[in-house]
Amino acid sequence: MAGNGSGHANGEFSFGNGTARNGLAKIQTHKKQNGICHDDSAPPVKAQTIDELHSLQKKKSAPTTPIKGTQGAFASTISDEERQKQQLQSISASLASLTRETGPKVVKGDPARKSETPKHVAHAHEHHFTPTISVSDSSLKFTHFLYNLSPAELYEQAIKYEKGSFITETGALATLSGAKTGRSPRDKRVVRDETTEDDLWWGKGSPNIEMDEHTFMVNRERAVDYLNSLDKVFVNDQFLNWDPENRIKVRIVSARAYHSLFMHNMCIRPTPEELENFGTPDFTIYNAGQFPCNRYTHYMTSSTSIDLNLARREMVILGTQYAGEMKKGLFSVMHYLMPKRQILSLHSGCNMGKDGDVALFFGLSGTGKTTLSTDHNRLLIGDDEHCWSENGVSNIEGGCYAKCIDLSREKEPDIWNAIKFGTVLENVVFDEHTREVDYSDKSVTENTRAAYPIEYIPNAKIPCVGPHPKNVILLACDAFGVLPPVSKLSLAQTMYHFISGYTALVAGTEEGVKEPQATFSACFGAAFIMLHPTKYAAMLAEKMMKHGATGWLVNTGWSGGSYGSGNRIKLPYTRKIIDAIHSGSLLEVNYKKTKVFRLEIPTEVEGVPSEILEPMNTWADKNAYNATLLKLAGLFKKNFETFTNYKIGKDGKLTEEILAAGPIF
Ligand SMILES: Nc1ncnc2c1ncn2[C@@H]1O[C@H](COP(=O)(O)OP(=O)(O)O)[C@@H](O)[C@H]1O
Ligand SMILES: C=C(OP(=O)(O)O)C(=O)O
Ligand SMILES: [Ca+2]
Ligand SMILES: [Mn+2]
């Protein structure tokens, strides 16, 4: 008999005998039935103190310790102790100051858990100089690191320590990214050295704004010092690229649980065994986003700086907490590393039909890569970043990053359902009591986002790889409303539109009607490419030819007039168009050629009103239509001038064809 009170052999339960001390009749519980006491039959907890009781709650779990430069076979022979030591050395090397000879002292674990006294402590500099000038107080303090925490642990960290972190009604972690709610492309810098000087695309139109090695080191030290000044930092060791032959190991050191959970979701998550053999990372991000860069530093034009050093394989982030900066920073790295291996990196979504037909969805931000690649009838390979190698396609990432503005369960059920425990919800507004999210609220930003692991989409293709693409779909959200909802492209036209990378969205949706803003972004991702656009274009042309892929241009933007008079094409219509591309039925219908852009447009698509297939039909004012069409054609022509002097690949013929594949007027 366990618990409070005293037990009696006859099964009765009472406090004392006869009458209670206060004179009232003693409490009698019911007779035990079948000899079972319902409320207290379990043996007592084997704990003498509350602390002991708490320690029973948690079971030791998977080893999360990388080994420096060893093979799998050898890995199992080293002791847990040795592994802990090597992990500590690896992380302490990552966090080391390069200008001081002492510190930091790095320990694993949460500093808030005082009882967990560190077993291992690593000094960043193991060699024993006699420190003279460069001793610093930083050597006297510990830097705790939290290594590959689980989503549950990261939730606890975020809610305890990061203002603006809340659990929403469906279990997602709502966070704020701070003053920056989008990327800062003008603050991105790339180290220009002997190698990158010749390899990379510099100058007009290029996203690569140069910085020198020394300035990089100044910012690196600033970030590392900031991180070491904190009580604790988060370390994520993860992978990029589902193609096992071309997998890249990344380490992300950051100051926020938000950043750690974001990258946990967005990068490929290693198994405990893979983590044991992780070794030295191929690339490291130092995210000191809460701390600004110093504007007295050479090359700095604001308090934000995102610095890429390909030789050192490092990226430093100062002055922005927008998590997308890490994801897209790594994408830039892949745009450098992969083409060196003859692999094409793509800013595209990717999915696969049940018969193995793969489609790529290129497009700038907000054009529908995530929405359209997330398709209940198809397997999702990935929503944003892919590689196309000799083996087929592979996703670079382990998660998706969906726009949430005006998200609805009806239109995007799979994304809606993915917003649950583990998902990071950035900058959304919710009811303070019910925690129900209002997806229409733009109070913080219009760029509200959800980052979730790809397996949160029920029909994700794991591993995220597939055969060579059959369809290459270029998405443009044309707020001018003159591009057809769908057109079939020749190879030369595909290349022309790929290099152009057009989209037009509306700048400020709040203050009445504004002119649509045309954007041209080479390869639909000029912010992330590192080589000249024609290098990627040549690879795409070669692969499309070799594997017989068909190119399509799909306008997910306006119909019936420009922004202000027309409306955005209904998502269900776009989905029907995409269905017809996937099924091959769109190859079977009749086509006619448009004026100016000379695009082949189908006369019918199942489930779509035929009159909207030709934009002119939907405009009340035909003159306005013609004027807008010519205006857009002029913008295309002007944009393409930068590329007219470049040859695509070895064959001069294709270059000529591409130049001739643009609008003629
Ligand atoms: N016809 C349409 N086609 C695609 N997306 C549409 C359409 N109409 C509205 N949308 C909305 O546009 C946004 C597209 O964003 P997203 O798919 O995240 O873009 P990307 O992944 O290319 O950045 C989504 O919010 C989606 O609901
Ligand atoms: C996260 C981004 O991707 P996209 O908008 O293409 O989904 C971005 O461009 O910052
Ligand atoms: Ca993107
Ligand atoms: Mn997207």
Side-chain angles (χ1 to χ4, degrees), residues 242-290:
W242 285 86
D243 170 4
E245 286 171 36
N246 295 291
R247 196 163 81 166
I248 303 293
K249 297 184 282 180
V250 288
R251 171 169 293 169
I252 300 104
V253 186
S254 63
R256 288 189 62 178
Y258 151 47
H259 289 151
S260 186
L261 183 58
F262 178 90
M263 291 311 264
H264 170 90
N265 291 350
M266 294 308 300
C267 295
I268 299 167
R269 292 157 290 283
T271 62
E273 295 74 38
E274 286 171 328
L275 207 52
E276 268 188 44
N277 302 306
F278 193 82
T280 312
D282 299 314
F283 198 89
T284 303
I285 296 182
Y286 296 97
N287 187 345
Q290 293 96 312

Side-chain angles (χ1 to χ4, degrees), residues 369-370 383-384 401 449:
K369 293 182 300 299
T370 303
D383 80 322
D384 197 57
Y401 195 30
R449 295 271 186 162

